[in-house]
Amino acid sequence: MADGFAATTWNPADNGSACTLSGGNLTAVGRATNGTARSAIGVSTGKWYWEASIYSGARPPIIGVGQASAVLTGYPGTDALGWGYHGATGNKIHIGAAVAFAAAWSNTAHVLGIALDADAGSIEIFLNNTSLGVMYTGMTGPFYAMTGGDTDGAESGTVANFGASAFAFTPPSGYMAGLGV
């Protein structure tokens, strides 16, 4: 990690009303309506990698990225300013449209890796260190990490690792180990 690197957290001043933060603002638990959290730090350039584990007892969240004004009253990908991945369905979501992307999963014993190339406007998703593929290209930033509740309103939760502690898996080559400044 670079000297002086400060990893972000979920932003307690910028999340939906049905989203509860805990654990140093690294755990976000919410429901679909108003259950979304956004990171405190966004990026416009560079390649960034962070991980998200599923909060115990919760369903897989919708995780991804969005701009600073992406809605928090839905889930990542609800509007044109956000891009999300929903593990429970395997769908990727943008502008509210769910499109098949990868196999669905529901077990909470998984680690998602998120590789954001802010320069190219692309995001790749990893499940337990196996790439599910590049989810979106042509995105425009600046980008903030986002997590949100399940689309059916069930409780969903994420424990984020933005680089303040060791990762479960090695970031892809050329990516900064974390999200921050």
Side-chain angles (χ1 to χ4, degrees):
M1 188 156 327
D3 289 336
F5 177 80
T8 192
T9 63
W10 298 121
N11 188 344
D14 190 24
N15 61 69
S17 62
C19 181
T20 303
L21 302 181
S22 63
N25 294 325
L26 292 174
T27 300
V29 177
R31 298 188 180 277
T33 304
N34 296 319
T36 297
R38 185 176 5 248
S39 63
I41 297 171
V43 296
S44 297
T45 61
K47 293 181 175 184
W48 306 89
Y49 174 84
W50 66 95
E51 292 179 340
S53 300
I54 309 311
Y55 182 72
S56 179
R59 290 198 47 189
I62 298 171
I63 192 146
V65 296
Q67 295 178 5
S69 54
V71 300
L72 297 172
T73 55
Y75 45 82
T78 297
D79 64 3
L81 304 177
W83 300 266
Y85 164 66
H86 191 200
T89 64
N91 292 333
K92 62 181 184 176
I93 306 169
H94 179 59
I95 315 175
V99 176
F101 174 63
W105 50 272
S106 60
N107 185 328
T108 59
H110 292 296
V111 175
L112 290 174
I114 299 91
L116 170 68
D117 184 339
D119 297 323
S122 66
I123 186 170
E124 183 174 3
I125 303 294
F126 294 82
L127 179 62
N128 299 323
N129 206 35
T130 299
S131 176
L132 300 179
V134 174
M135 186 170 69
Y136 286 104
T137 61
M139 302 181 314
T140 56
F143 302 101
Y144 293 78
M146 293 182 74
T147 187
D150 194 298
T151 56
D152 69 1
E155 181 178 90
S156 295
T158 302
V159 180
N161 181 353
F162 292 115
S165 59
F167 285 119
F169 303 105
T170 302
S173 179
Y175 281 76
M176 177 69 175
L179 181 65
V181 293

